[in-house]
Amino acid sequence: MSRTYTTSTAFLEALEEAGVSYIFSNLGSDHPGIIEGLAIARKENKKLPEVIMCPHEMVALSMAHSYAQVTGEPQAVLVHVECGTQNLGGAIHNAYKGRVPVLVFAGASPYTQEGELTGSRNEFIHWIQDVPDQRGIVRGYMKYDNEIRSGKNVKQLVHRSLQIAASQPKGPVYLVGPREVMEEETEPVSLQTEKWQPIAPAALPPQEINRIMGDLKKAKNPLVVTSYLGKNTSAVKELVELCEKCAIPVIESVPNYMNFPSDHPMHCGYQWNTPTQNEQLAKADLVLVFDSDVPWIPTKNKPSEACTIYYFDEEPLKESMPLWYVPSKRSFQVDSETALYQLNERLRDTNLNEETIHDRWNRISLYHHKQREKWAEKEQYEKDVITPEYLTGCIREVIDDNTIVVNEGISNFETIYTHLRRTKPGSIIGSGGGSLGWNGGAALGAKLSAKDQKVVSLTGDGSYMFSVPSAVHWMARRYNLPFLTIIYNNRGWKSPKLSTLGVHPEGTAFETDEYWVDFEPHADLAGIAEAAGGAFAKTVKNPDELKASLHEALQALNEGRSAVLDVYLPAIKQSNKKDTPEEKAGLGKL
């Protein structure tokens, strides 16, 4: 039987040539050419990216998302026409807002119906799934989108797409290909892949460095605020060097990564929807913001009017956010590692007031120490309840620096960062977006990218259900990717309750304690993973059982089996008398 070389063959070859290792796929009637190309390659022992079958598209893209976060390498996701594209759901938002490189390919319904071309319509669904603007479904969340129209230049389109995806600011790209085009016979094309590399990182203009250095030397209370600088682990080292030389404290605002070691004397804590004015931010006379979409929330917490602000980011204008501004003296479109390297280089030739730096170091170190003492007080054991702080402190005790933590704790987001106290770059990741359900696929992607490391997923019960756990744990068993999930289970969506109280602190919802967010009757969340993937499953309600249960779960992990601990925290549905003043204001620790 003759085997033809088609657009699909060239497409798959292009992915391989570009360094794509995996295709996270949910295949459909638009992919016969792709499937045939993969089958031929397997029969002929031809190397192509490995196909990972994903029963749900949300899981597929979340898996590609975290794989790229851990390795820095963009992967491919294959989905079915416009239905599969829409089923990617919030994962598209997360990849775009999280600046994660990934190539999404979707087929398109055939454009002939009389058998004029190979691949012409021959199934009922080809009419139903034909829509006017399939690319428009995701255009607002893509750096680039295009349609494959010929096999003659499909490799150029793939390499251009991945070049755009991997260039700062990184992000997802989208290609579509109708069935007839993907079945088209074509001639092999050879490209010089080294000519399709991402654009080089941007640096500070040399003349601006003197301005920054001048303000830094004059500052009595400088401060660094960052959120996702740690996406590049090498940038963390440069930030530590700057802060050590100048005794600059650091706040992590809505962090998506480990941006600065939590045990460093200059680390001054985390903030998310924090209700109070941050002391370090209030007294700062100079703030250097590196890689942060939301360095503070002005209605609650911000620098003084007299403070000088410099803003460093890959996309300082935030053109995809209609309302956004940080009033800065100067904003720079830069790669933060490069900018920090430039500043550190200049500091080597700069005379600093050593006495001022020494005094500031001692003052900030004392603040750091007292802050940690307060954190430790909140982690204390309580007889009748498992608090989020106690749970997180117990998790910290049983994991090590090489564990990769996937954090989608939502209402316990700040608690998790605060009490895990991560110190190693790359040891904790978040989605970077706001669409729930990333955690399950993300844990799989992290494990696939680092098979010799433990992966622990921390999630709320709501975000766990959004993650399609039945698909996630089926995949974990099929592909031997065991990980531990710990559910911070308050039996409902706490964040909408807090948002309501933020606007109506003494309203009728508060009076009646009715927010339509409680999950009753309560599901056996751990049991879902056991049924779908044979995971070790346990529900923990008694604080006396918590530590032993954590060790049981880790033992299952050591034996190559996934584990889920469903840990019951104080429930959403409770008397408002138990709410803290901050929670009554809708500003509790989210």
Short mmCIF file of all heavy atoms in Angstrom, two decimals, residues 381-438:
data_model
loop_
_atom_site.label_atom_id
_atom_site.label_comp_id
_atom_site.label_asym_id
_atom_site.label_seq_id
_atom_site.Cartn_x
_atom_site.Cartn_y
_atom_site.Cartn_z
N TYR A 381 -2.04 23.77 66.57
CA TYR A 381 -3.07 22.73 66.60
C TYR A 381 -4.28 23.19 67.40
O TYR A 381 -4.14 23.81 68.45
CB TYR A 381 -2.46 21.47 67.23
CG TYR A 381 -3.46 20.44 67.70
CD1 TYR A 381 -3.93 19.45 66.83
CD2 TYR A 381 -3.92 20.44 69.02
CE1 TYR A 381 -4.84 18.50 67.27
CE2 TYR A 381 -4.82 19.49 69.47
CZ TYR A 381 -5.28 18.52 68.59
OH TYR A 381 -6.18 17.58 69.03
N GLU A 382 -5.46 22.92 66.88
CA GLU A 382 -6.71 23.14 67.62
C GLU A 382 -7.45 21.82 67.73
O GLU A 382 -7.49 21.04 66.77
CB GLU A 382 -7.57 24.20 66.92
CG GLU A 382 -6.94 25.59 66.91
CD GLU A 382 -7.86 26.66 66.33
OE1 GLU A 382 -9.11 26.47 66.43
OE2 GLU A 382 -7.34 27.65 65.81
N LYS A 383 -8.04 21.59 68.84
CA LYS A 383 -8.59 20.26 69.15
C LYS A 383 -9.73 19.84 68.23
O LYS A 383 -9.79 18.69 67.80
CB LYS A 383 -9.05 20.24 70.60
CG LYS A 383 -9.58 18.87 71.05
CD LYS A 383 -9.96 18.89 72.52
CE LYS A 383 -10.46 17.52 72.97
NZ LYS A 383 -10.88 17.52 74.39
N ASP A 384 -10.62 20.75 67.90
CA ASP A 384 -11.87 20.36 67.23
C ASP A 384 -11.96 20.78 65.77
O ASP A 384 -12.99 20.56 65.13
CB ASP A 384 -13.07 20.94 67.98
CG ASP A 384 -13.14 20.42 69.41
OD1 ASP A 384 -12.85 19.22 69.60
OD2 ASP A 384 -13.46 21.22 70.31
N VAL A 385 -10.92 21.42 65.23
CA VAL A 385 -11.03 21.94 63.88
C VAL A 385 -9.66 21.91 63.20
O VAL A 385 -8.62 22.06 63.85
CB VAL A 385 -11.59 23.38 63.90
CG1 VAL A 385 -10.63 24.35 64.58
CG2 VAL A 385 -11.93 23.86 62.51
N ILE A 386 -9.68 21.69 61.88
CA ILE A 386 -8.46 21.78 61.09
C ILE A 386 -8.47 23.15 60.41
O ILE A 386 -9.30 23.41 59.53
CB ILE A 386 -8.38 20.67 60.02
CG1 ILE A 386 -8.42 19.28 60.68
CG2 ILE A 386 -7.10 20.82 59.19
CD1 ILE A 386 -8.49 18.13 59.69
N THR A 387 -7.60 24.02 60.82
CA THR A 387 -7.52 25.34 60.20
C THR A 387 -6.65 25.26 58.94
O THR A 387 -5.77 24.40 58.84
CB THR A 387 -6.92 26.38 61.16
OG1 THR A 387 -5.55 26.05 61.40
CG2 THR A 387 -7.69 26.42 62.47
N PRO A 388 -6.87 26.16 57.98
CA PRO A 388 -6.02 26.16 56.78
C PRO A 388 -4.54 26.37 57.12
O PRO A 388 -3.67 25.79 56.47
CB PRO A 388 -6.57 27.34 55.96
CG PRO A 388 -7.95 27.56 56.46
CD PRO A 388 -7.94 27.17 57.90
N GLU A 389 -4.28 27.19 58.14
CA GLU A 389 -2.89 27.45 58.52
C GLU A 389 -2.24 26.20 59.11
O GLU A 389 -1.08 25.88 58.79
CB GLU A 389 -2.84 28.59 59.55
CG GLU A 389 -3.27 29.94 59.01
CD GLU A 389 -4.77 30.14 58.98
OE1 GLU A 389 -5.52 29.26 59.47
OE2 GLU A 389 -5.22 31.19 58.45
N TYR A 390 -2.98 25.47 59.95
CA TYR A 390 -2.44 24.24 60.53
C TYR A 390 -2.21 23.20 59.44
O TYR A 390 -1.16 22.54 59.40
CB TYR A 390 -3.40 23.70 61.59
CG TYR A 390 -2.96 22.38 62.19
CD1 TYR A 390 -1.83 22.31 62.98
CD2 TYR A 390 -3.68 21.21 61.95
CE1 TYR A 390 -1.41 21.11 63.55
CE2 TYR A 390 -3.29 20.00 62.51
CZ TYR A 390 -2.14 19.96 63.31
OH TYR A 390 -1.73 18.76 63.85
N LEU A 391 -3.17 23.05 58.54
CA LEU A 391 -3.02 22.11 57.44
C LEU A 391 -1.79 22.43 56.60
O LEU A 391 -0.98 21.54 56.30
CB LEU A 391 -4.28 22.13 56.55
CG LEU A 391 -4.21 21.39 55.22
CD1 LEU A 391 -3.87 19.93 55.42
CD2 LEU A 391 -5.51 21.55 54.45
N THR A 392 -1.62 23.69 56.25
CA THR A 392 -0.49 24.08 55.40
C THR A 392 0.83 23.88 56.13
O THR A 392 1.82 23.43 55.53
CB THR A 392 -0.63 25.54 54.94
OG1 THR A 392 -1.95 25.75 54.42
CG2 THR A 392 0.39 25.87 53.88
N GLY A 393 0.86 24.20 57.42
CA GLY A 393 2.07 23.96 58.20
C GLY A 393 2.43 22.48 58.24
O GLY A 393 3.62 22.11 58.15
N CYS A 394 1.43 21.61 58.36
CA CYS A 394 1.68 20.15 58.35
C CYS A 394 2.21 19.70 56.99
O CYS A 394 3.09 18.84 56.91
CB CYS A 394 0.41 19.40 58.72
SG CYS A 394 -0.10 19.60 60.44
N ILE A 395 1.66 20.26 55.92
CA ILE A 395 2.15 19.91 54.58
C ILE A 395 3.62 20.32 54.44
O ILE A 395 4.44 19.59 53.89
CB ILE A 395 1.29 20.59 53.50
CG1 ILE A 395 -0.15 20.04 53.55
CG2 ILE A 395 1.89 20.40 52.11
CD1 ILE A 395 -1.14 20.84 52.71
N ARG A 396 3.94 21.53 54.93
CA ARG A 396 5.33 22.01 54.84
C ARG A 396 6.30 21.03 55.51
O ARG A 396 7.42 20.82 55.04
CB ARG A 396 5.44 23.39 55.50
CG ARG A 396 6.81 24.03 55.35
CD ARG A 396 6.92 25.36 56.07
NE ARG A 396 6.91 25.20 57.51
CZ ARG A 396 5.99 25.70 58.33
NH1 ARG A 396 4.97 26.38 57.83
NH2 ARG A 396 6.05 25.51 59.64
N GLU A 397 5.86 20.42 56.59
CA GLU A 397 6.73 19.51 57.34
C GLU A 397 7.03 18.22 56.58
O GLU A 397 8.08 17.60 56.81
CB GLU A 397 6.10 19.16 58.68
CG GLU A 397 6.05 20.32 59.67
CD GLU A 397 5.36 19.95 60.96
OE1 GLU A 397 4.97 18.76 61.12
OE2 GLU A 397 5.19 20.83 61.83
N VAL A 398 6.15 17.81 55.66
CA VAL A 398 6.32 16.49 55.03
C VAL A 398 6.82 16.57 53.59
O VAL A 398 7.07 15.54 52.97
CB VAL A 398 5.01 15.67 55.08
CG1 VAL A 398 4.59 15.43 56.53
CG2 VAL A 398 3.89 16.35 54.30
N ILE A 399 6.96 17.77 53.03
CA ILE A 399 7.50 17.89 51.68
C ILE A 399 8.88 18.52 51.75
O ILE A 399 9.26 19.10 52.77
CB ILE A 399 6.58 18.71 50.74
CG1 ILE A 399 6.46 20.16 51.23
CG2 ILE A 399 5.20 18.06 50.64
CD1 ILE A 399 5.66 21.06 50.29
N ASP A 400 9.63 18.40 50.66
CA ASP A 400 10.97 18.97 50.65
C ASP A 400 11.09 20.02 49.55
O ASP A 400 10.13 20.30 48.82
CB ASP A 400 12.04 17.87 50.48
CG ASP A 400 11.84 17.05 49.20
OD1 ASP A 400 11.21 17.55 48.25
OD2 ASP A 400 12.31 15.90 49.16
N ASP A 401 12.30 20.58 49.42
CA ASP A 401 12.52 21.65 48.44
C ASP A 401 12.35 21.17 47.01
O ASP A 401 12.08 21.97 46.11
CB ASP A 401 13.91 22.24 48.61
CG ASP A 401 14.01 23.16 49.82
OD1 ASP A 401 12.95 23.55 50.34
OD2 ASP A 401 15.14 23.46 50.25
N ASN A 402 12.53 19.87 46.77
CA ASN A 402 12.42 19.34 45.41
C ASN A 402 11.00 19.01 45.01
O ASN A 402 10.75 18.63 43.87
CB ASN A 402 13.31 18.10 45.26
CG ASN A 402 14.78 18.45 45.25
OD1 ASN A 402 15.18 19.47 44.68
ND2 ASN A 402 15.61 17.64 45.91
N THR A 403 10.07 19.12 45.94
CA THR A 403 8.66 18.90 45.62
C THR A 403 8.13 20.08 44.82
O THR A 403 8.41 21.24 45.15
CB THR A 403 7.84 18.75 46.91
OG1 THR A 403 8.35 17.65 47.67
CG2 THR A 403 6.37 18.50 46.58
N ILE A 404 7.40 19.79 43.75
CA ILE A 404 6.73 20.84 42.99
C ILE A 404 5.31 20.96 43.51
O ILE A 404 4.54 20.00 43.50
CB ILE A 404 6.71 20.53 41.49
CG1 ILE A 404 8.15 20.44 40.94
CG2 ILE A 404 5.93 21.60 40.72
CD1 ILE A 404 8.21 20.02 39.48
N VAL A 405 4.97 22.15 43.99
CA VAL A 405 3.63 22.41 44.52
C VAL A 405 2.82 23.14 43.47
O VAL A 405 3.23 24.17 42.93
CB VAL A 405 3.69 23.24 45.81
CG1 VAL A 405 2.28 23.57 46.30
CG2 VAL A 405 4.47 22.49 46.89
N VAL A 406 1.65 22.60 43.16
CA VAL A 406 0.69 23.24 42.26
C VAL A 406 -0.38 23.88 43.14
O VAL A 406 -1.06 23.18 43.90
CB VAL A 406 0.07 22.19 41.32
CG1 VAL A 406 -1.09 22.79 40.53
CG2 VAL A 406 1.12 21.62 40.38
N ASN A 407 -0.51 25.20 43.09
CA ASN A 407 -1.39 25.92 44.01
C ASN A 407 -2.60 26.50 43.29
O ASN A 407 -2.48 27.40 42.47
CB ASN A 407 -0.62 27.04 44.71
CG ASN A 407 -1.51 27.85 45.65
OD1 ASN A 407 -2.56 27.40 46.09
ND2 ASN A 407 -1.08 29.06 45.97
N GLU A 408 -3.78 25.95 43.61
CA GLU A 408 -5.05 26.55 43.19
C GLU A 408 -5.98 26.56 44.40
O GLU A 408 -7.11 26.08 44.34
CB GLU A 408 -5.66 25.80 42.00
CG GLU A 408 -6.71 26.64 41.30
CD GLU A 408 -7.24 26.02 40.02
OE1 GLU A 408 -7.22 24.77 39.89
OE2 GLU A 408 -7.68 26.78 39.14
N GLY A 409 -5.46 27.13 45.49
CA GLY A 409 -6.19 27.13 46.75
C GLY A 409 -7.31 28.15 46.82
O GLY A 409 -8.15 28.08 47.71
N ILE A 410 -7.30 29.16 45.96
CA ILE A 410 -8.32 30.20 45.84
C ILE A 410 -8.57 30.89 47.18
O ILE A 410 -7.80 31.75 47.57
CB ILE A 410 -9.61 29.66 45.20
CG1 ILE A 410 -9.26 28.89 43.92
CG2 ILE A 410 -10.57 30.79 44.90
CD1 ILE A 410 -8.46 29.67 42.92
N SER A 411 -9.58 30.54 47.95
CA SER A 411 -9.84 31.26 49.19
C SER A 411 -8.73 31.06 50.22
O SER A 411 -8.66 31.80 51.20
CB SER A 411 -11.19 30.86 49.79
OG SER A 411 -11.23 29.49 50.10
N ASN A 412 -7.85 30.10 49.98
CA ASN A 412 -6.67 29.90 50.84
C ASN A 412 -5.36 30.16 50.09
O ASN A 412 -4.30 29.69 50.50
CB ASN A 412 -6.68 28.49 51.42
CG ASN A 412 -7.77 28.30 52.45
OD1 ASN A 412 -7.78 28.96 53.49
ND2 ASN A 412 -8.73 27.44 52.16
N PHE A 413 -5.46 30.93 49.02
CA PHE A 413 -4.30 31.19 48.19
C PHE A 413 -3.16 31.83 48.99
O PHE A 413 -2.03 31.36 49.00
CB PHE A 413 -4.72 32.12 47.04
CG PHE A 413 -3.65 32.40 46.02
CD1 PHE A 413 -3.57 31.64 44.87
CD2 PHE A 413 -2.73 33.42 46.20
CE1 PHE A 413 -2.59 31.90 43.91
CE2 PHE A 413 -1.75 33.69 45.26
CZ PHE A 413 -1.69 32.93 44.11
N GLU A 414 -3.47 32.91 49.68
CA GLU A 414 -2.43 33.61 50.45
C GLU A 414 -1.94 32.75 51.61
O GLU A 414 -0.75 32.74 51.93
CB GLU A 414 -2.98 34.94 50.97
CG GLU A 414 -1.93 35.80 51.67
CD GLU A 414 -2.47 37.15 52.11
OE1 GLU A 414 -3.50 37.59 51.56
OE2 GLU A 414 -1.86 37.76 53.01
N THR A 415 -2.85 32.02 52.24
CA THR A 415 -2.46 31.14 53.34
C THR A 415 -1.45 30.11 52.89
O THR A 415 -0.45 29.82 53.57
CB THR A 415 -3.70 30.44 53.91
OG1 THR A 415 -4.58 31.43 54.48
CG2 THR A 415 -3.34 29.43 54.99
N ILE A 416 -1.68 29.53 51.71
CA ILE A 416 -0.78 28.49 51.20
C ILE A 416 0.62 29.06 50.96
O ILE A 416 1.63 28.48 51.38
CB ILE A 416 -1.36 27.86 49.93
CG1 ILE A 416 -2.56 26.97 50.29
CG2 ILE A 416 -0.31 27.06 49.18
CD1 ILE A 416 -3.38 26.50 49.11
N TYR A 417 0.70 30.21 50.28
CA TYR A 417 2.03 30.80 50.05
C TYR A 417 2.70 31.18 51.37
O TYR A 417 3.90 30.95 51.56
CB TYR A 417 1.90 32.03 49.14
CG TYR A 417 2.15 31.69 47.70
CD1 TYR A 417 1.09 31.39 46.85
CD2 TYR A 417 3.43 31.65 47.17
CE1 TYR A 417 1.30 31.07 45.52
CE2 TYR A 417 3.66 31.33 45.85
CZ TYR A 417 2.59 31.04 45.02
OH TYR A 417 2.81 30.70 43.71
N THR A 418 1.94 31.75 52.29
CA THR A 418 2.51 32.22 53.55
C THR A 418 3.07 31.07 54.38
O THR A 418 4.19 31.15 54.89
CB THR A 418 1.44 32.97 54.37
OG1 THR A 418 1.03 34.13 53.63
CG2 THR A 418 1.96 33.39 55.73
N HIS A 419 2.32 30.00 54.49
CA HIS A 419 2.70 28.95 55.44
C HIS A 419 3.49 27.81 54.82
O HIS A 419 4.07 27.01 55.55
CB HIS A 419 1.45 28.46 56.17
CG HIS A 419 0.83 29.53 57.03
ND1 HIS A 419 1.30 29.84 58.28
CD2 HIS A 419 -0.18 30.40 56.78
CE1 HIS A 419 0.59 30.83 58.79
NE2 HIS A 419 -0.32 31.20 57.89
N LEU A 420 3.55 27.74 53.50
CA LEU A 420 4.48 26.77 52.89
C LEU A 420 5.91 27.29 52.93
O LEU A 420 6.86 26.52 53.02
CB LEU A 420 4.09 26.48 51.44
CG LEU A 420 3.01 25.46 51.19
CD1 LEU A 420 2.87 25.18 49.70
CD2 LEU A 420 3.25 24.16 51.93
N ARG A 421 6.06 28.62 52.79
CA ARG A 421 7.37 29.28 52.89
C ARG A 421 8.39 28.66 51.93
O ARG A 421 9.49 28.25 52.32
CB ARG A 421 7.91 29.20 54.33
CG ARG A 421 6.94 29.69 55.39
CD ARG A 421 7.57 29.70 56.76
NE ARG A 421 6.58 29.77 57.81
CZ ARG A 421 6.87 29.78 59.11
NH1 ARG A 421 8.13 29.73 59.50
NH2 ARG A 421 5.90 29.84 60.01
N ARG A 422 8.07 28.63 50.67
CA ARG A 422 8.95 28.02 49.68
C ARG A 422 10.20 28.86 49.46
O ARG A 422 10.17 30.10 49.52
CB ARG A 422 8.23 27.84 48.35
CG ARG A 422 6.97 27.01 48.42
CD ARG A 422 7.21 25.63 48.99
NE ARG A 422 7.71 24.71 47.99
CZ ARG A 422 8.26 23.52 48.27
NH1 ARG A 422 8.41 23.15 49.54
NH2 ARG A 422 8.65 22.73 47.31
N THR A 423 11.31 28.18 49.21
CA THR A 423 12.61 28.86 49.10
C THR A 423 13.37 28.54 47.82
O THR A 423 14.34 29.21 47.51
CB THR A 423 13.52 28.47 50.28
OG1 THR A 423 13.74 27.06 50.28
CG2 THR A 423 12.88 28.88 51.62
N LYS A 424 12.92 27.55 47.08
CA LYS A 424 13.65 27.13 45.88
C LYS A 424 12.91 27.59 44.63
O LYS A 424 11.70 27.35 44.49
CB LYS A 424 13.79 25.61 45.85
CG LYS A 424 14.59 25.10 44.65
CD LYS A 424 14.73 23.58 44.69
CE LYS A 424 15.48 23.08 43.46
NZ LYS A 424 15.61 21.59 43.46
N PRO A 425 13.60 28.27 43.71
CA PRO A 425 12.95 28.67 42.45
C PRO A 425 12.35 27.47 41.73
O PRO A 425 12.96 26.39 41.66
CB PRO A 425 14.10 29.29 41.64
CG PRO A 425 15.07 29.78 42.67
CD PRO A 425 15.00 28.77 43.79
N GLY A 426 11.13 27.65 41.23
CA GLY A 426 10.45 26.59 40.50
C GLY A 426 9.72 25.59 41.37
O GLY A 426 9.13 24.64 40.87
N SER A 427 9.71 25.81 42.70
CA SER A 427 9.13 24.80 43.59
C SER A 427 7.64 24.99 43.85
O SER A 427 7.02 24.16 44.50
CB SER A 427 9.87 24.79 44.93
OG SER A 427 9.73 26.04 45.60
N ILE A 428 7.05 26.08 43.34
CA ILE A 428 5.61 26.28 43.44
C ILE A 428 5.15 27.06 42.21
O ILE A 428 5.83 27.99 41.77
CB ILE A 428 5.22 27.01 44.75
CG1 ILE A 428 3.67 27.08 44.88
CG2 ILE A 428 5.86 28.37 44.85
CD1 ILE A 428 3.20 27.53 46.27
N ILE A 429 4.01 26.66 41.65
CA ILE A 429 3.47 27.34 40.47
C ILE A 429 1.97 27.54 40.63
O ILE A 429 1.30 26.76 41.31
CB ILE A 429 3.76 26.57 39.16
CG1 ILE A 429 3.19 25.14 39.22
CG2 ILE A 429 5.24 26.55 38.84
CD1 ILE A 429 3.32 24.36 37.90
N GLY A 430 1.48 28.62 40.02
CA GLY A 430 0.05 28.87 39.93
C GLY A 430 -0.31 29.09 38.48
O GLY A 430 0.57 29.22 37.62
N SER A 431 -1.59 29.18 38.19
CA SER A 431 -2.01 29.27 36.78
C SER A 431 -1.70 30.63 36.18
O SER A 431 -1.50 30.74 34.97
CB SER A 431 -3.51 28.99 36.66
OG SER A 431 -4.27 30.10 37.14
N GLY A 432 -1.68 31.68 37.00
CA GLY A 432 -1.51 33.02 36.47
C GLY A 432 -2.79 33.63 35.96
O GLY A 432 -2.82 34.79 35.58
N GLY A 433 -3.87 32.85 35.96
CA GLY A 433 -5.16 33.33 35.49
C GLY A 433 -6.21 33.22 36.57
O GLY A 433 -5.90 33.00 37.74
N GLY A 434 -7.46 33.33 36.17
CA GLY A 434 -8.54 33.32 37.14
C GLY A 434 -9.62 32.30 36.87
O GLY A 434 -10.69 32.35 37.47
N SER A 435 -9.34 31.34 35.97
CA SER A 435 -10.35 30.33 35.66
C SER A 435 -10.03 29.05 36.42
O SER A 435 -8.94 28.49 36.30
CB SER A 435 -10.38 30.05 34.16
OG SER A 435 -11.43 29.16 33.86
N LEU A 436 -10.98 28.59 37.22
CA LEU A 436 -10.73 27.45 38.10
C LEU A 436 -10.72 26.13 37.32
O LEU A 436 -11.35 25.99 36.28
CB LEU A 436 -11.79 27.40 39.19
CG LEU A 436 -11.95 28.65 40.05
CD1 LEU A 436 -12.88 28.37 41.23
CD2 LEU A 436 -10.62 29.17 40.54
N GLY A 437 -10.01 25.16 37.89
CA GLY A 437 -9.93 23.83 37.32
C GLY A 437 -8.59 23.50 36.71
O GLY A 437 -8.39 22.41 36.17
N TRP A 438 -7.64 24.39 36.83
CA TRP A 438 -6.30 24.20 36.28
C TRP A 438 -5.53 23.12 37.02
O TRP A 438 -4.68 22.42 36.46
CB TRP A 438 -5.56 25.54 36.34
CG TRP A 438 -4.10 25.54 36.09
CD1 TRP A 438 -3.46 25.52 34.88
CD2 TRP A 438 -3.05 25.59 37.07
NE1 TRP A 438 -2.09 25.56 35.05
CE2 TRP A 438 -1.82 25.61 36.39
CE3 TRP A 438 -3.04 25.63 38.46
CZ2 TRP A 438 -0.59 25.66 37.05
CZ3 TRP A 438 -1.83 25.68 39.13
CH2 TRP A 438 -0.62 25.69 38.43
#
